[in-house]
Amino acid sequence: MSVLFPKLVVAIAAVVILPSQTYALENTYLPVEKVPYYEEMPDQPHRLGPLWGKRDVGPAGTLLKVPGGWQAPIHAHTADYQGVVIEGTWSHWVPETGEGKGIELRPGSYWTQKADQMHADACMSEKQCVILLINTEPYSTLFKSR
């Protein structure tokens, strides 16, 4: 067997197994005043602002904007997601276990949420909260039945 064969196997394995870098096809700019916010639910005051992708289809980044003092109904999502606080003070917790309860998430704070787990969110500050939500799988919201 050639000395090159093991090196070739390792090189092929590295290309197949290791994640590849993703490069932007073009530069994109979206000034904050041009984020196309829309109403997700008519009876709720929160607004969603898509930045990239379509969250109900696949990978996406979406801004969530809510008024100060707002609390979301208990809900879950069909995909795991990551959250980053951009503005305001946020609270995110799992009522069933108490996980996250009482933790204040200020700008720059981060959390993750597993798919299909009921949880709650609230904007603890008087001023609005803006949150960056990132998902890699199709994502929709499910509310706890009353």
Side-chain angles (χ1 to χ4, degrees):
M1 185 180 315
S2 165
V3 175
L4 291 176
F5 184 74
K7 290 179 181 177
L8 180 60
V9 170
V10 169
I12 292 171
V15 169
V16 172
I17 297 171
L18 297 176
S20 63
Q21 280 187 292
T22 304
Y23 296 97
L25 298 176
E26 60 185 56
N27 295 329
T28 303
Y29 302 90
L30 180 61
V32 68
E33 65 275 2
K34 294 193 179 202
V35 173
Y37 282 98
Y38 66 91
E39 184 178 81
E40 182 179 32
M41 298 174 54
D43 61 338
Q44 293 292 320
H46 67 282
R47 301 291 177 262
L48 298 173
L51 298 177
W52 69 85
K54 292 184 178 185
R55 70 188 211 147
D56 59 339
V57 175
T62 306
L63 290 177
L64 167 66
K65 186 188 292 190
V66 303
W70 177 79
Q71 182 168 333
I74 295 173
H75 62 285
H77 305 285
T78 56
D80 295 349
Y81 76 89
Q82 302 166 356
V84 179
V85 179
I86 305 298
E87 183 181 333
T89 301
W90 194 251
S91 184
H92 176 90
W93 69 98
V94 179
E96 186 177 316
T97 65
E99 175 187 334
K101 188 72 174 169
I103 297 174
E104 287 190 354
L105 301 168
R106 293 186 180 89
S109 298
Y110 167 81
W111 79 93
T112 61
Q113 177 59 56
K114 296 185 288 190
D116 301 316
Q117 183 180 48
M118 289 291 169
H119 59 276
D121 296 284
C123 179
M124 307 304 289
S125 52
E126 289 182 24
K127 67 177 186 169
Q128 75 176 0
C129 287
V130 178
I131 308 299
L132 172 61
L133 302 172
I134 302 168
N135 61 286
T136 58
E137 300 294 324
Y139 174 112
S140 60
T141 303
L142 311 168
F143 291 94
K144 186 175 183 176
S145 52
R146 298 174 191 190

